[in-house]
């Protein structure tokens, strides 16, 4: 009896069909956690929804999750359970528009980063607007950075990663370290980073109809409660617009269907113009922070992160 083995493409298509209901549910939850209202009740639902999303998509095997208190701030280590690089670490900044996000929401990407790279990953629950507007989040990021330095890591041992507003925070952290004359991290890994709070990129209008996750109304709502009346072109709010010379080599990943697409393209152009090695990966038909989801494309993107950290630049 001859058995016909399915091809790789057939296996991929079958997996995609199995995941379709899960993906629809997860995308619905993710979209619901980006409301345009900053009312306390809406924010509470948003933050609870992100905690649920984190539990639904969090990888369970190969990585331990160890919460602790970092000078009063909630934090957690994601540690590979075997074969890890003990002298390298990732500082991970979660997304959420500076108004939501927590350790539960951090867990899926932190665990994926740990599993893919073999590095320990430190996540931290920075303070959120509107209760704690700018500069609370950057202050907390500096505290997490200083904690790693206290543990004995050098700046050259640290990769800073972030998604969405966390990508903004990763870049702002570099601006602050540079302004203080301190060493910057070894590399940056930025997933769908929000780099320009002025929203001056063309994709904010051109891709509004194809972005299933983020709207301009949401951008306006979160930046209003985070930045208040401050000048949005300040590099500590829009790091794209600052001096990027001497920044670390960066990997930027963005979906083709994002209104934040321009933020990534323009950041790549500005970094390269400043003499900083930078790679931009545009993932076709993908949405905002697709790396979080349990699908083949997300796995491929994370594998690319692992290769980037191994390369000599």
């Amino acid at each position: 009896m001859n058995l016909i083995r399915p091809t790789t493409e057939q296996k991929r298509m079958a997996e995609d069909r199995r995941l379709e209901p899960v993906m629809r549910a997860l995308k619905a939850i993710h979209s619901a956690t980006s409301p345009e209202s900053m009312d306390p009740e809406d924010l509470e639902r948003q933050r609870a929804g992100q905690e649920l999303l984190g539990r639904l998509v969090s990888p369970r095997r190969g990585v331990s999750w160890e919460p602790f208190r970092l000078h009063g701030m909630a934090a957690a280590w994601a540690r590979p359970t075997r074969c890890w690089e003990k002298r390298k670490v990732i500082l991970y900044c979660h997304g959420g528009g500076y108004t939501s996000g927590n350790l539960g929401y951090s867990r899926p990407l932190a665990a994926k980063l740990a599993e893919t790279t073999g590095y320990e990953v430190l996540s931290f629950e920075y303070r959120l607007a509107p209760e704690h507007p700018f500069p609370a989040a950057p202050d907390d990021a500096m505290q997490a950075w200083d904690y790693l330095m206290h543990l004995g890591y050098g700046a050259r041992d640290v990769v800073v990663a972030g998604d969405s507003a966390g990508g903004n925070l990763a870049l702002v952290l570099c601006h602050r370290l540079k302004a203080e004359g301190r060493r910057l991290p070894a590399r940056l890994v930025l997933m769908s980073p929000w780099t320009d709070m002025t929203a001056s990129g063309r994709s904010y209008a051109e891709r509004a109809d194809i972005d299933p996750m983020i709207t301009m109304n949401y951008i306006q709502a979160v930046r209003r409660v985070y930045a208040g009346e401050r000048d949005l072109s300040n590099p500590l709010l829009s790091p794209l617009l600052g001096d990027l010379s001497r920044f670390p080599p960066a990997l930027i990943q963005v979906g083709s269907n994002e209104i934040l697409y321009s933020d990534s393209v323009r950041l790549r152009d500005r970094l390269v113009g400043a003499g900083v090695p930078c790679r931009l990966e545009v993932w076709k038909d993908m949405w905002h922070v697709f790396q979080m989801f349990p699908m083949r494309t997300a796995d491929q993107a994370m594998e690319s992160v692992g290769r980037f950290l191994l390369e000599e630049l």
Side-chain angles (χ1 to χ4, degrees):
M1 179 178 177
N2 293 326
L3 296 177
I4 300 176
R5 297 183 181 276
T7 65
T8 300
E9 178 64 17
Q10 288 171 330
K11 290 180 181 178
R12 184 191 66 78
M13 292 175 64
E15 179 186 36
D16 289 345
R17 283 194 297 271
R18 287 194 301 272
L19 284 174
E20 278 179 5
V22 177
M23 294 301 299
R24 284 196 299 269
L26 291 174
K27 287 174 73 176
I29 294 171
H30 193 288
S31 297
T33 62
S34 299
E36 295 164 5
S37 168
M38 294 293 111
D39 291 338
E41 290 184 2
D42 291 330
L43 278 173
E44 184 178 352
R45 284 193 293 269
Q46 176 186 15
R47 293 167 182 175
Q50 287 191 325
E51 181 77 32
L52 173 62
L53 179 64
R55 289 201 302 268
L56 285 173
V57 302
S58 179
R60 293 191 296 267
R61 288 186 284 181
V63 177
S64 67
W65 183 251
E66 303 172 17
F68 69 103
R69 303 297 295 182
L70 198 173
H71 303 303
M73 179 170 58
W77 284 104
R79 303 185 195 269
T81 54
R82 58 179 181 175
C83 301
W84 71 86
E85 170 54 72
K86 295 184 178 181
R87 288 307 311 162
K88 302 291 183 181
V89 67
I90 295 174
L91 179 62
Y92 168 59
C93 308
H94 69 73
Y98 283 119
T99 63
S100 64
N102 44 43
L103 285 186
Y105 189 62
S106 299
R107 185 171 178 173
L109 280 177
K112 285 188 176 188
L113 285 167
E115 186 176 27
T116 300
T117 65
Y119 294 6
E120 294 182 333
V121 179
L122 175 64
S123 299
F124 60 103
E125 198 170 283
Y126 55 83
R127 289 168 291 169
L128 301 173
E131 300 94 330
H132 304 283
F134 176 87
D139 288 347
D140 290 346
M142 288 290 287
Q143 181 170 271
W145 176 269
D146 289 340
Y147 172 71
L148 291 177
M149 300 301 103
H150 176 73
L151 290 181
Y153 292 102
R156 66 185 179 278
D157 304 317
V158 183
V159 174
V160 178
D163 67 284
S164 192
N168 181 293
L169 186 56
L171 291 163
V172 169
L173 175 63
C174 289
H175 276 307
R176 286 188 54 165
L177 290 169
K178 181 179 171 182
E180 294 181 10
R182 300 175 64 180
R183 293 185 180 275
L184 273 63
R187 300 205 181 187
L188 288 168
V189 174
L190 307 170
M191 293 165 275
S192 302
W194 184 23
T195 68
D196 178 17
M197 285 197 184
T198 72
S200 59
R202 294 171 58 182
S203 62
Y204 282 87
E206 292 179 348
R207 306 195 181 211
D209 292 337
I210 61 173
D211 190 326
M213 300 293 187
I214 305 294
T215 68
M216 189 60 208
N217 286 340
Y218 171 72
I219 294 291
Q220 292 169 342
V222 296
R223 76 183 182 186
R224 181 174 61 251
V225 297
Y226 177 66
E229 299 300 319
R230 293 177 176 83
D231 180 3
L232 295 175
S233 65
N234 184 325
L236 297 183
L237 296 171
S238 297
L240 170 72
L241 306 180
D243 177 9
L244 301 176
S245 61
R246 297 190 290 111
F247 263 47
L251 171 65
I252 307 169
Q253 295 181 336
V254 67
S256 65
N257 292 3
E258 297 194 45
I259 66 170
L260 295 184
Y261 174 80
S262 297
D263 284 36
S264 289
V265 173
R266 295 169 68 206
L267 177 63
R268 185 273 313 274
D269 293 345
R270 291 290 309 278
L271 285 169
V272 171
V276 177
C278 179
R279 177 180 306 155
L280 172 65
E281 296 178 352
V282 179
W283 291 80
K284 182 174 169 47
D285 297 328
M286 289 293 104
W287 53 86
H288 191 63
V289 197
F290 67 91
Q291 296 90 339
M292 177 180 289
F293 293 84
M295 59 182 185
R296 185 181 299 273
T297 305
D299 293 341
Q300 292 170 341
M302 298 310 295
E303 290 167 4
S304 182
V305 171
R307 290 193 296 271
F308 171 72
L309 297 185
L310 289 173
E311 292 176 2
E312 294 289 338
L313 297 178

